[in-house]
Structure formats: C-alpha cells, structure tokens
Amino acid sequence: AYIAKLKVDLSPREAARYIRGRWVEIRSEFIYFEYDSKEQYRAAVDYQVVPNSPVHLTFDFNIGLGKPMSCALFQYIGDDFHVFAESVIEGARTADLIEDLDARGLLVKGERRYEINGDAAGKHRDTRSSRSDYDIIQQELAGRGIKFEYNVPLANPPIRTRHNRVNAYCKNDNGKRRLFIYKGCKVADEGMRLTSLKKGAGYVEDDSKAFQHITTAIGYGIVTTLQRQTSKRQGTVQL
C-alpha cells in the first residue's frame, strides 16, 4: 500500500530513484520535465467551471522589468488541477490584477466561491502600497460582492518540494497526468515548458523570464490545496 501511494505521488524519475533504487539524475534542463504540452495544454478548449467547487485564485507578486504580477485561476476536481485563466501584467499594482479579472468576467457574484492562494510573502508587503497584497485582494473582492475564502500558508514550501509536487501532477509513476492548462493560458503553457534553474546559482529558479512567475503561482496553489486536503483527511486545522 505504501509503494502504491508513492507511485501516485512521485514522478517517474523520482520513483526510479526512491522506489526502484536506480541512480538517475532527477534534475533536467527544464524544471517541469514531466509536462507535455501536447497532452496537457488544451489550447482550443473553453473550460467549463464546475458548480459547487471553488475557483482558486493563486498569486505571485513581483515588481521590476520582466517580472510581471501574475495570477492563475484553477479548479481542483477529483484529483485533477484545471488551470483555465491567467492574468500576467508587467508593472501592475496588486489591485490591477483583480480589475483585469473582473473586466474579463472571471469574477462572478452569487453562489460561485473563490479561494485565495499564493505567495506567502504577500502577507507582509505590497509592491506598491503600505497595505499587504492580500489585504488589497480581499478588499477588492469584498467590494465587488465576491464570496471568497483566504487560504495562504504562513511560509512558502521549499522550492524543490513545489517542483516535485507539480511534476508528479504533470505525470506520476503510473503514467497519469493530473494537471491541465486551457485556452487563453499561453503564458502558463510557455512557463511549464521553459522555466529553468538559474545557471551557476544552485537550486534557484531563473526568475528573469516573464513566464516563470505564473508557474510559481500555480505551484503555490497546488501545494497549498494538497496540504489542505491532507489536513481534512487527518482532521487537523489548516493554518
């Protein structure tokens, strides 16, 4: 049973090393080496939001040339992640992301519920204001009458943990893919294909590429959502 669970939770490369004892190199030129755009990027498909399941808004906050503020929208259905919208705006204020989502009809009043995920550092400061990023996001959503729940951890997960979890959802050792990207998310697809580590800097992401930041936001959302599911099964409180 333990081995069966590992095969679900590990990518094929991780499983080759940690289950079958093969001395294989896990690192690759690109971070998300299990992502297959042909299999996982549904460029011509308009995603249909599943009622009664929350829409996650997950953020990565940045400022500077080539480092856009980034937000991805996804649903977690069954054990699959469906990334169906993105907002990537260089030089934007935090509120600009919410304004962009609202203008595109992605924020729906009524029974639709939203869950806020993302970069834990956003609790402490905003790139343009004395308020925190999440203070601004919650105020913007509340002002629009949007129902939401705040679920951001106290600290971000280790980088390697985040990468491993995303890779396992791109493809696990059973060959199952559980992460899909839909029409209108060209930056997310590009980031999943091309995000790499910074050369000569140890295990650090190369954040000089604009497409990297949306993948980081997606990774934060995936890890936080899975941690919450584990907490619910164990009957513990998610902080």
Side-chain angles (χ1 to χ4, degrees):
Y2 176 68
I3 296 297
K5 185 177 186 308
L6 287 179
K7 287 173 69 64
V8 171
D9 292 340
L10 298 180
S11 69
R13 291 193 193 187
E14 292 178 279
R17 174 176 285 188
Y18 300 127
I19 296 178
R20 293 182 283 278
R22 293 173 54 196
W23 187 252
V24 297
E25 177 58 63
I26 294 179
R27 286 183 60 167
S28 174
E29 177 183 2
F30 301 112
I31 289 172
Y32 303 109
F33 48 80
E34 298 296 354
Y35 179 75
D36 186 336
S37 186
K38 292 181 180 179
E39 295 285 338
Q40 294 170 259
Y41 182 35
R42 299 174 172 177
V45 178
D46 288 309
Y47 180 79
Q48 300 299 314
V49 172
V50 177
N52 303 320
S53 183
V55 170
H56 295 250
L57 302 170
T58 184
F59 297 87
D60 187 40
F61 305 105
N62 300 284
I63 182 173
L65 184 64
K67 298 181 179 181
M69 299 281 281
S70 301
C71 173
L73 279 68
F74 70 85
Q75 283 196 299
Y76 181 56
I77 306 298
D79 194 27
D80 295 342
F81 288 92
H82 301 272
V83 180
F84 65 90
E86 63 186 16
S87 180
V88 180
I89 307 174
E90 187 168 337
R93 300 174 301 115
T94 303
D96 292 336
L97 291 183
I98 304 301
E99 292 172 5
D100 177 56
L101 297 176
D102 194 16
R104 291 158 56 197
L106 294 168
L107 300 178
V108 180
K109 297 179 183 179
E111 295 305 313
R112 184 175 296 180
R113 296 176 294 116
Y114 293 83
E115 182 174 315
I116 301 172
N117 304 139
D119 183 3
K123 290 183 175 184
H124 307 301
R125 85 290 179 269
D126 171 56
T127 50
R128 301 289 201 279
S129 169
S130 59
R131 294 176 293 164
S132 77
D133 291 295
Y134 290 116
D135 287 340
I136 294 170
I137 289 166
Q138 292 180 80
Q139 182 177 354
E140 290 288 332
L141 293 177
R144 289 169 166 80
I146 304 299
K147 295 181 179 179
F148 66 89
E149 183 177 358
Y150 177 78
N151 184 24
V152 177
L154 296 176
N156 289 327
I159 295 176
R160 193 183 299 271
T161 297
R162 171 163 53 83
H163 293 168
N164 289 345
R165 293 301 270 170
V166 174
N167 268 315
Y169 271 78
C170 289
K171 184 181 179 181
N172 68 15
D173 195 48
N174 293 325
K176 184 174 177 58
R177 299 188 186 276
R178 298 171 290 170
L179 170 61
F180 303 97
I181 297 174
Y182 290 80
K183 182 179 179 180
C185 297
K186 293 181 179 180
V187 181
D189 172 64
E190 185 180 20
M192 292 299 298
R193 289 186 287 107
L194 300 178
T195 295
S196 61
L197 296 174
K198 187 176 293 186
K199 290 180 172 58
Y203 202 85
V204 179
E205 291 172 311
D206 181 1
D207 66 353
S208 66
K209 305 295 191 296
F211 53 68
Q212 177 266 339
H213 302 281
I214 193 71
T215 66
T216 299
I218 292 169
Y220 289 145
I222 287 175
V223 173
T224 300
T225 301
L226 296 175
Q227 287 175 338
R228 185 164 202 178
Q229 292 299 310
T230 299
S231 297
K232 285 180 178 179
R233 288 194 297 269
Q234 296 175 345
T236 58
V237 177
Q238 178 72 34
L239 298 177

